[in-house]
Amino acid sequence: MSTKDYLEKDYYKVLGVSKTASQDEIKQSYRKLARENHPDANTGDAQAEERFKEISEAYNVLSDEKRRKEYDDARSLFGGSYRPGGNTGAGGFDLGDLFGQGGGTQTSGGGERLSDLFGGLFGGRGRTTTQPRRGADIETETRLTFSEASAGLTRSFQLSSDAACPTCKGTGARAGTAPRVCPNCSGTGHENRNLGGFSLSEPCGECKGRGLVVDDPCLTCSGSGRGKSTRTIQARIPAGVSDGQRIRLKGKGAPGEHGGPAGDLYVVVHVQPHPVFGKSGDNLTITVPVTFPEAALGADVRVPTLNGLPVTVKIPPGTPNGRTFRVRGKGTARRDGTAGDMLVTVEVAVPDRLNEEAREALEKFRAATADQDPRSGLETRAKGM
């Protein structure tokens, strides 16, 4: 990231958030805008592709607390604007010192260099675009069924990102020719521009920060050295992932520049709900209806499992409504290779219709248990609270 980028680009505006936005607000806005402008959803739309790049660049800065502070400090220091023009006055100084870009000059009287006074404010970024630079992080989404999320699976992802032009291998020059060192910046990729009483280092206008000039450009990339890379990768989604979980795949993002490492790929998982099973940590949950006689007298109840044969759960006599039983080893897989448990909650089912025989039996049961009042003492306890 160059100094000029920090001063010219309003990343908060790009993501549509305020300068005081929380990390959650920044993440939510990024995900929404990334989905709307992703190249896969806007095939052939160059504007959407450029917009997606701007959104990713803004998120890479604002989602990192350290980089965000550096960005805010830079814009605060210079009023959030950048206007080239003017000459360095007699009392001016070189902002290359401020950003740690030049050797720096000593102030009179043996004072500190500006690079020492503001050391590390911008983390050394912006010195020259020919330095190795890490590739951008990429975020994508995938939808899984409840069973797939529980068992884990390998899924294919098709990713689009910038890469070296396949024809010229990133040189930008036509086959059989080679680029030459830029005479304007002597290959450094940056030049100093006078801004009134200041001097600001920015990408060289002649070579656009590359440090090289292409006289006979490659026909494929028009001399930029960059192309579009579409690749398919296989990614393992671990067992037991939850809805909304974000999985990081290191080094699977956009390729780096000038020998820099690749970025990371983040996969946001969306899990479809199951009509019977739920999830609590590594445990599966299920609610099983039982009849009143089964709860009162006890019973052996068959209970389905997610990916196997049913199991039998023993319901002891006098089981109350809502009691939960644990079936070990029938939950989702854990990272250590073991499995969680299945939590079976019984729910006493009350029939909505009774035949005459069932009604008579219940009337006899009510008469036989008339001396048992489950609400005995309830009013007394209520008044004592």
Side-chain angles (χ1 to χ4, degrees), residues 354-368:
L354 296 172
N355 58 31
E356 196 61 32
E357 183 179 358
R359 183 179 295 277
E360 289 178 1
L362 281 177
E363 289 292 351
K364 291 179 181 179
F365 175 80
R366 179 160 58 182

Side-chain angles (χ1 to χ4, degrees), residues 272-351:
Q272 299 173 3
H274 195 280
V276 172
F277 293 98
K279 194 167 180 287
S280 176
D282 296 327
N283 301 322
L284 289 177
T285 61
I286 183 173
T287 299
V288 178
V290 297
T291 65
F292 175 73
E294 287 175 329
L297 303 176
D300 291 334
V301 178
R302 280 169 59 88
V303 179
T305 60
L306 183 60
N307 296 307
L309 296 175
V311 295
T312 299
V313 176
K314 187 175 185 61
I315 307 296
T319 294
N321 183 59
R323 182 173 178 181
T324 299
F325 298 88
R326 183 182 296 270
V327 181
R328 300 200 177 276
K330 293 299 181 180
T332 57
R334 299 190 181 104
R335 291 185 177 181
D336 62 2
T338 62
D341 302 330
M342 183 168 67
L343 306 180
V344 181
T345 301
V346 297
E347 182 179 75
V348 177
V350 178

